[in-house]
Amino acid sequence: MSNGSPDSIQVLHVDDEPDFADLTATFLEREDDRFAVETATSASDGKEELEQNEFDCVVSDYEMPGQNGIEFLQSVREHYPELPFILFTGKGSEEVASDAISAGVTDYLQKEGGTDQYTVLANRITNAVEHHRAQERVERSEQRLREIVDALPHLLYVVDEEGNYLLANEALATFHDTTVEDIEGSNIAEVLDASAADQFRRHLDEVLEDETTQRVPEVEIADPDGETHIFEPRLQPYEFGDVDDQAVLGIAADVTERKTHERTLERTRERMQLALEHTNSVIFEIDCNTDEVVRHGAYNEFFELSADEVPTWEDHLAQAVHPDDRDQFQQFYQQLVDGERDGGQLEYRTTPEMGDVRWIRDTVSVQNESRGESRQVIGIAREITEYKEREQELKQKERRYQAIFDDPNILVGLIDTDGTVLEINETAMDYVDATREDVTDEPFWETPWFNYSESLQEDVKGWIERAADGEYVEFETDLVQPGGEQYTVEGVFRPVRDEEDDVVSLIISDREITEQKEYERELEQTNALLSTLFDTLPVGVLAEDEQRNVVAVNEQMFELFDLPGSPDEIRGTDCAQLAADVSDTFADSEAFVDRIDELIAGQEPVYNEELELADGQTYARSYHPIELSEGDGHLWVYRDITARKTRETRLATLNETTPELMAAETRTDVAEIGVEAAADVLGLEASAIHLYDEQDGLVPVAQTDAGHDLIGEPPAFTGEDSIAWRVYEQGEGRAIEDVHDNPEIYNPDSPVRSELILPLGEAGILIASSPTAATFDDEDRVLAEILASNITAALEQVERTEEIRAREAELTRQNERLEEFASIVSHDLRNPLQVAEGRLELLKDDCETEQVAPIERALDRMDALIEDILTLAREGDRVSEMEEVGLREVCEACWQHVETAEATLEITTDKTIRADRSRLQQLIENLIHNAVEHGGDDVTVTIGDLEDGFYVADDGPGIPADERESVFDAGYSTADDGTGFGLSIVKQIVDAHGWNITITESEAGGARFEITGTEHA
């Protein structure tokens, strides 16, 4: 059977009853999932199993056909002297037990009824196996210790108080040209010369008397060849094995070649110290009846306590054990004392009150006296602090190693020096269609990463050979994924060396740099593009370093300053001298150079600084401090802006003519100013403006003198085929390079070759002519279009002004007639009405009649009619001063001015609008009065917000949909005592403000007047 995990326990159970053997196997495996039990029904079958498989423990019955259990045990011991063997038998006797112990049985257990026996058996197996494994570890440790001692280059020995060698190492034997066996058991007088032996004897006595370690000054000893060596012995008291007598451990370092062997000496001391610390132990016995402990060894030094202070294990628990470990310590030893446990191991820490916390491991077993009357716990305590620390350190190193190895961004592998793959991480496996098992133990160059290319395989093989020779090999290569996608990796083969500086393995680590390589390629392309752009920029560019040497300059810079040579020739020259050489180009050469020095000193960017040249041209200069790879630098940009400055001057002059155009009072004035501006500002010297007349078409109104000299009196263009008429009709300007090439030419004999014709809206056209072909460029057309736009606006303003003047005259006449009508109404109607009202008052005093009330109502209605008519006549659709008016404030004031009886007002708006306050107040009063008049005394009026206005609503009967347009007509009313002018006045006020009013149904079913288009303050 194959070995399981390190913690698994392989058990062979031999019993001639198969059912019982299987039952025992089942219960054992239930008791502890580490158990794996195989069964055999005879001793011969058991031996075959042992020959074929490996087991940790044998459990055997006693009475079996053929060989019995004792005989089977004896045959097992012949081949497996240390293998744990438990006799599990139904026949129990002292004779059988004695024979079993004599034959080397590990444990003896009698079969009983019930299932508890399997728990006991499982515990016995576990204890036996763990003890056996512990013993093997001890033996291995002792063997390693012996190997370490023998490997020490110094002379190591243990000598008892009589001077007899109890232990010697190979170095000591080699130095004396003898063997370890010959030295061990001999006396120092037999090994050393008389002088050296006497000196050693004195130091030995001092160490044993003082019980302290002593470093002996230099000792000279001759080897068998007579060569003298100088040693520095170090002697210390030492307990050697089970010997009760005192002994001394000595280590003598050959310091003859101290300088050469200094590092070796330090390693030897560390190893020796580690070996000595591992031998420190305390053996103890616990009486289970009294809990008293008998200790053997350096308990005082071990726990810094006197054994008398802690007579019982419970005292030890209270004074020596760490508080966090006391519960498990208590449980463990209580189970031992109570018989619930037969042995085991316990690891715990010492209390911090004793100083540094140390780890202790107790290994114990329970021994029963005859007849079971007395039980003792036998144990050994060892300090394992360094072991625990190393264990923790190893775990941390393992975690760090694993974290590095499993880095998802790095491909990592461990390779033998011959190229065999030992381990590879998952990140690397993501790039191939294979498993770890497929590549492990294979030559690295034959794995799927490289097996598609023989040349690549040879490269990898060469890299591995170089790394195996101790070289740190860096590489970069292109690989191909299973899907055919190419990727690039860079990495390194690192040699791993042992303590002897020999290469024992290789680590390969690489990472994908596909994106980086692509970025580098793109960067190269970008640099090439930038270089091309630099050379083809329409501006002059020069870069200089901190020492003011030319770093880069383009061709445009040479053209601007007419420099000799080429950019390559000037690179590296002095920029200060270059500036001085070209300074004469500028109007103020000294200021040009001084400003350069000033900008460099200030290190602040400057943009488009204008420079006047001696020949009248204008350059723009920009300065930028820059960072170069080797320090600071300066970047200069120069460009010729002469054309732009000329264009800006023309635009500025053109803008200056705009107010003059807009101030013109007649169309003719506009036209004359327009052609003058075309000639003087735009350089369109031969130009004319034709304005449209319904009878005569496009009639010339203004012409420059140069235009008259070129073509004479300009013609009027009608609907006949002509270029000018087509431009006017289509509303799109045209620049004609040669009119004689155009079939629509008006006059084939005209001296004009090129024309620029622009529409002036519906007013006419602007024509610029030239006797030369292709005279007008894009800039001429753009500037002329701006002028044409200004002329069009001026003509439209003249037209609007004329219309306004005519309208004002008409309004003046209308107002005079309305005022005359209002005077008549006010005087001729109100006077008789007042007489009638006076007579009615006298009549009411003289007599009482039912005719008075109707007369009084009629007179009141006539008074209201007169008042509304006067309002319509005098106010009409006019508003005076506009101001910011709060709706809530106005509505509350209006409610106070209107007779509202028991009506209710609800205001839900805090909006402020721009309006004529008095007229707005009149509008709201009329709407409130209308609501009360038609909705009754208890009507509710609500005034609230709209998105672009407000509304006035009531809960009265409402207005039918088919009457909502008529209610604004003058004289329309459904009330008996209404004048019919209230809502008409509302409509006039709304119109006067430029608002809109609509009527809808309110939420309560009444009327809702919505006023929109108001301007919010």
Side-chain angles (χ1 to χ4, degrees):
M1 61 187 297
S2 60
N3 289 330
S5 66
D7 292 334
S8 67
I9 298 176
Q10 313 296 327
V11 180
L12 173 62
H13 183 201
V14 182
D15 197 301
D16 61 338
E17 295 183 14
D19 293 339
F20 182 77
D22 292 338
L23 180 63
T24 302
T26 301
F27 273 98
L28 287 176
E29 291 176 347
R30 286 184 180 179
E31 283 292 330
D32 194 328
D33 57 9
R34 295 178 298 168
F35 286 169
V37 183
E38 293 289 329
T39 61
T41 58
S42 66
S44 58
D45 292 343
K47 285 188 284 185
E48 289 181 5
E49 286 287 340
L50 287 171
E51 291 172 357
Q52 296 173 3
N53 302 302
E54 293 182 4
F55 291 94
D56 297 306
C57 182
V58 176
V59 177
S60 175
D61 191 10
Y62 174 71
E63 290 185 346
M64 295 185 295
Q67 285 185 327
N68 61 26
I70 300 299
E71 294 168 341
F72 178 44
L73 169 61
Q74 291 171 342
S75 64
V76 168
R77 283 289 175 257
E78 293 177 0
H79 301 284
Y80 311 98
E82 302 299 331
L83 179 63
F85 192 106
I86 297 175
L87 195 61
F88 186 42
T89 176
K91 183 178 180 181
S93 69
E94 292 185 3
E95 181 183 355
V96 173
S98 176
D99 291 341
I101 292 172
S102 299
V105 72
T106 305
D107 207 341
Y108 176 86
L109 185 63
Q110 188 171 352
K111 296 179 181 178
E112 298 176 354
T115 59
D116 290 343
Q117 62 179 334
Y118 302 112
T119 302
V120 176
L121 178 60
N123 288 334
R124 298 290 180 87
I125 294 172
T126 301
N127 293 337
V129 171
E130 290 182 351
H131 178 75
H132 175 63
R133 291 177 176 175
Q135 187 64 31
E136 287 183 333
R137 289 194 294 270
V138 170
E139 291 175 356
R140 288 195 299 270
S141 176
E142 291 177 350
Q143 179 62 30
R144 287 195 297 271
L145 178 59
R146 180 75 232 191
E147 291 172 355
I148 291 172
V149 168
D150 286 338
L152 290 174
H154 305 297
L155 313 185
L156 185 142
Y157 44 87
V158 176
V159 181
D160 64 14
E161 57 187 351
E162 299 299 329
N164 297 318
Y165 285 99
L166 304 178
L167 173 68
N169 71 345
E170 286 290 344
L172 181 63
T174 300
F175 179 79
H176 291 291
D177 193 20
T178 184
T179 64
V180 171
E181 291 76 11
D182 288 341
I183 292 179
E184 290 180 350
S186 63
N187 191 273
I188 57 176
E190 299 172 349
V191 177
L192 303 175
D193 60 45
S195 175
D198 290 343
Q199 185 181 9
F200 186 92
R201 183 76 230 184
R202 289 195 303 272
H203 292 302
L204 176 66
D205 293 340
E206 291 174 1
V207 171
L208 292 175
E209 180 180 354
D210 297 340
E211 295 185 352
T212 58
T213 300
Q214 184 179 109
R215 186 179 298 278
V216 180
E218 295 179 355
V219 176
E220 294 185 2
I221 301 176
D223 63 16
D225 294 330
E227 183 178 350
T228 301
H229 292 253
I230 301 174
F231 294 93
E232 286 186 350
R234 183 165 58 90
L235 307 176
Q236 66 182 55
Y238 185 71
E239 295 180 3
F240 186 77
D242 298 329
V243 177
D244 293 332
D245 295 335
Q246 291 181 310
V248 170
L249 169 65
I251 301 176
D254 187 344
V255 296
T256 307
E257 299 179 359
R258 182 188 296 274
K259 298 293 184 180
T260 306
H261 296 88
E262 194 169 280
R263 291 178 61 195
T264 305
L265 175 61
E266 184 62 25
R267 278 201 307 273
T268 303
R269 286 176 180 170
E270 291 177 355
R271 291 175 181 173
M272 192 59 204
Q273 185 62 32
L274 180 61
L276 293 176
E277 290 175 356
H278 272 249
T279 63
N280 286 341
S281 61
V282 175
I283 298 174
F284 57 89
E285 301 175 12
I286 301 176
D287 188 327
C288 296
N289 295 325
T290 64
D291 291 339
E292 293 182 352
V293 184
V294 177
R295 300 180 178 89
H296 307 279
Y299 181 83
N300 296 2
E301 297 176 4
F302 215 59
F303 293 101
E304 299 182 4
L305 288 170
S306 170
D308 297 336
E309 297 178 292
V310 282
T312 69
W313 66 267
E314 291 175 325
D315 294 327
H316 179 82
L317 164 66
Q319 298 186 47
V321 179
H322 194 287
D324 294 342
D325 297 339
R326 287 173 183 169
D327 287 344
Q328 66 164 343
F329 189 96
Q330 168 81 29
Q331 182 182 10
F332 181 81
Y333 278 97
Q334 194 65 55
Q335 289 175 347
L336 289 170
V337 172
D338 293 345
E340 298 175 4
R341 178 189 290 271
D342 292 329
Q345 282 188 344
L346 173 68
E347 294 179 356
Y348 63 93
R349 292 164 293 173
T350 60
T351 179
E353 298 175 1
M354 297 169 52
D356 293 338
V357 175
R358 294 175 295 162
W359 278 94
I360 307 298
R361 176 186 291 151
D362 288 356
T363 303
V364 299
S365 63
V366 177
Q367 292 186 353
N368 294 314
E369 296 294 334
S370 61
R371 301 180 182 177
E373 295 177 356
S374 176
R375 299 175 65 252
Q376 285 187 325
V377 176
I378 307 298
I380 181 171
R382 295 186 177 90
E383 181 180 352
I384 59 169
T385 305
E386 291 189 5
Y387 165 78
K388 298 293 284 189
E389 291 174 351
R390 287 198 305 274
E391 183 180 57
Q392 185 63 28
E393 182 180 354
L394 286 173
K395 289 180 180 179
Q396 292 176 350
K397 288 182 178 179
E398 174 65 21
R399 285 194 293 269
R400 289 196 294 268
Y401 167 78
Q402 205 60 44
I404 295 172
F405 195 83
D406 293 335
D407 190 325
N409 299 313
I410 302 178
L411 291 70
V412 183
L414 181 64
I415 301 173
D416 204 346
T417 53
D418 63 358
T420 302
V421 176
L422 302 177
E423 193 174 357
I424 208 83
N425 74 346
E426 281 297 333
T427 304
M429 299 308 302
D430 292 340
Y431 286 83
V432 293
D433 187 13
T435 65
R436 286 186 177 182
E437 290 72 17
D438 294 336
V439 300
T440 302
D441 298 329
E442 295 293 327
F444 191 43
W445 53 85
E446 294 182 4
T447 58
W449 290 281
F450 318 108
N451 60 8
Y452 61 88
S453 169
E454 291 184 2
S455 61
L456 180 57
Q457 287 180 310
E458 289 299 319
D459 289 340
V460 175
K461 190 174 182 180
W463 297 335
I464 291 174
E465 290 174 352
R466 289 165 54 194
D469 289 337
E471 184 178 349
Y472 188 92
V473 182
E474 295 180 339
F475 67 90
E476 178 182 315
T477 188
D478 293 327
L479 302 176
V480 179
Q481 294 188 15
E485 302 89 350
Q486 182 170 305
Y487 63 101
T488 304
V489 296
E490 68 173 6
V492 62
F493 286 90
R494 296 181 179 87
V496 179
R497 300 178 182 273
D498 61 9
E499 294 181 354
E500 303 300 327
D501 205 31
D502 294 328
V503 177
V504 294
S505 60
L506 309 175
I507 290 180
I508 175 178
S509 60
D510 58 65
R511 61 188 181 93
E512 183 181 352
I513 58 169
T514 307
E515 293 184 1
Q516 176 183 331
K517 298 298 290 186
E518 182 63 27
Y519 172 76
E520 291 175 357
R521 286 191 289 268
E522 291 177 357
L523 185 61
E524 291 177 359
Q525 294 175 355
T526 301
N527 288 338
L529 176 61
L530 289 176
S531 177
T532 302
L533 289 174
F534 181 79
D535 292 336
T536 57
L537 281 173
V539 297
V541 181
L542 182 145
E544 60 183 57
D545 60 22
E546 197 168 8
Q547 287 72 39
R548 300 212 59 196
N549 295 318
V550 177
V551 176
V553 62
N554 67 351
E555 287 286 352
Q556 187 65 20
M557 197 73 171
F558 277 73
E559 295 179 8
L560 285 174
F561 291 98
D562 194 22
L563 296 173
S566 67
D568 291 337
E569 293 173 352
I570 202 174
R571 192 174 291 114
T573 60
D574 185 3
C575 276
Q577 183 60 48
L578 182 63
D581 293 342
V582 302
S583 62
D584 291 341
T585 307
F586 295 91
D588 190 340
S589 58
E590 184 176 348
F592 168 74
V593 175
D594 291 344
R595 180 57 175 162
I596 289 176
D597 295 338
E598 180 183 341
L599 291 175
I600 291 176
Q603 291 285 303
E604 292 292 334
V606 174
Y607 301 95
N608 298 322
E609 188 175 65
E610 294 185 3
L611 305 172
E612 293 296 328
L613 273 66
D615 60 1
Q617 295 187 84
T618 304
Y619 283 0
R621 174 176 61 195
S622 295
Y623 165 73
H624 305 263
I626 58 175
E627 292 184 5
L628 301 173
S629 59
E630 297 181 355
D632 296 333
H634 315 284
L635 180 69
W636 305 93
V637 179
Y638 290 85
R639 57 193 178 96
D640 188 349
I641 60 170
T642 305
R644 191 197 76 190
K645 294 295 290 184
T646 302
R647 183 167 59 255
E648 289 175 352
T649 301
R650 294 170 70 183
L651 278 173
T653 307
L654 185 60
N655 287 334
E656 292 174 359
T657 65
T658 301
E660 187 178 356
L661 282 170
M662 302 308 291
E665 296 185 356
T666 66
R667 287 156 51 94
T668 301
D669 291 343
V670 172
E672 289 177 350
I673 295 171
V675 296
E676 183 180 349
D680 296 343
V681 178
L682 307 184
L684 306 178
E685 297 180 354
S687 59
I689 291 179
H690 296 242
L691 300 180
Y692 178 72
D693 183 89
E694 290 184 356
Q695 295 181 352
D696 300 328
L698 294 172
V699 179
V701 177
Q703 182 184 30
T704 62
D705 292 340
H708 187 275
D709 294 341
L710 180 62
I711 61 174
E713 291 294 330
F717 300 106
T718 62
E720 301 174 358
D721 290 340
S722 68
I723 302 172
W725 187 263
R726 187 66 55 82
V727 168
Y728 174 72
E729 275 191 333
Q730 296 177 351
E732 296 181 0
R734 291 184 63 183
I736 304 166
E737 293 185 353
D738 195 336
V739 296
H740 292 277
D741 294 338
N742 195 311
E744 297 179 350
I745 185 172
Y746 183 80
N747 179 13
D749 298 326
S750 172
V752 175
R753 293 295 302 277
S754 58
E755 280 186 336
L756 177 61
I757 307 175
L758 300 172
L760 304 175
E762 297 182 357
I765 58 173
L766 167 66
I767 301 179
S769 305
S770 172
T772 306
T775 299
F776 307 108
D777 57 19
D778 290 341
E779 182 177 335
D780 292 329
R781 178 167 181 170
V782 170
L783 293 174
E785 286 176 346
I786 295 174
L787 176 60
S789 176
N790 292 342
I791 294 172
T792 302
L795 291 171
E796 291 174 351
Q797 179 171 292
V798 168
E799 185 177 356
R800 285 195 302 272
T801 301
E802 292 175 351
E803 292 176 352
I804 290 171
R805 288 172 179 169
R807 174 64 176 162
E808 287 177 347
E810 177 62 26
L811 287 175
T812 300
R813 291 191 295 274
Q814 181 179 347
N815 289 338
E816 289 173 352
R817 290 195 298 273
L818 287 173
E819 185 62 32
E820 183 180 357
F821 171 73
S823 297
I824 294 172
V825 170
S826 176
H827 184 271
D828 295 351
L829 292 182
R830 192 176 293 279
N831 285 345
L833 179 62
Q834 290 175 348
V835 172
E837 289 175 344
R839 291 297 180 182
L840 180 61
E841 289 296 322
L842 294 174
L843 180 62
K844 288 164 62 178
D845 292 340
D846 294 341
C847 65
E848 293 184 1
T849 174
E850 61 182 7
Q851 301 300 323
V852 171
I855 294 172
E856 190 173 28
R857 288 195 299 273
L859 291 176
D860 289 342
R861 177 169 171 74
M862 290 178 63
D863 186 57
L865 283 169
I866 291 171
E867 189 66 34
D868 287 347
I869 290 171
L870 285 174
T871 299
L872 284 172
R874 287 174 173 167
E875 299 293 338
D877 56 359
R878 291 181 299 174
V879 294
S880 57
E881 183 179 354
M882 301 286 284
E883 60 180 301
E884 295 181 1
V885 182
L887 282 177
R888 178 179 290 277
E889 175 191 353
V890 170
C891 293
E892 291 174 347
C894 292
W895 189 258
Q896 301 299 323
H897 297 161
V898 178
E899 294 184 5
T900 56
E902 300 299 324
T904 302
L905 176 66
E906 293 182 359
I907 303 174
T908 62
T909 177
D910 290 306
K911 182 179 292 185
T912 299
I913 63 174
R914 290 187 58 78
D916 182 328
R917 180 183 291 274
S918 63
R919 303 228 65 192
L920 175 63
Q921 186 169 334
Q922 187 177 14
L923 179 151
I924 295 174
E925 287 178 356
N926 282 10
L927 290 177
I928 293 174
H929 179 78
N930 181 76
V932 173
E933 182 179 41
H934 295 282
D937 292 346
D938 60 347
V939 70
T940 297
V941 180
T942 303
I943 302 176
D945 280 337
L946 293 175
E947 183 176 352
D948 60 342
F950 62 95
Y951 68 86
V952 179
D954 61 57
D955 58 357
I959 301 174
D962 58 351
E963 297 181 13
R964 291 173 183 170
E965 293 296 329
S966 304
V967 297
F968 294 115
D969 296 341
Y972 179 89
S973 179
T974 59
D976 294 338
D977 56 350
T979 66
F981 289 101
L983 293 182
S984 178
I985 293 172
V986 169
K987 182 68 166 61
Q988 280 197 342
I989 296 172
V990 168
D991 292 342
H993 282 84
W995 301 339
N996 299 305
I997 185 168
T998 56
I999 302 174
T1000 63
E1001 183 176 321
S1002 70
E1003 293 181 357
R1008 172 170 162 143
F1009 294 84
E1010 296 184 350
I1011 294 89
T1012 57
T1014 62
E1015 181 182 352
H1016 296 185

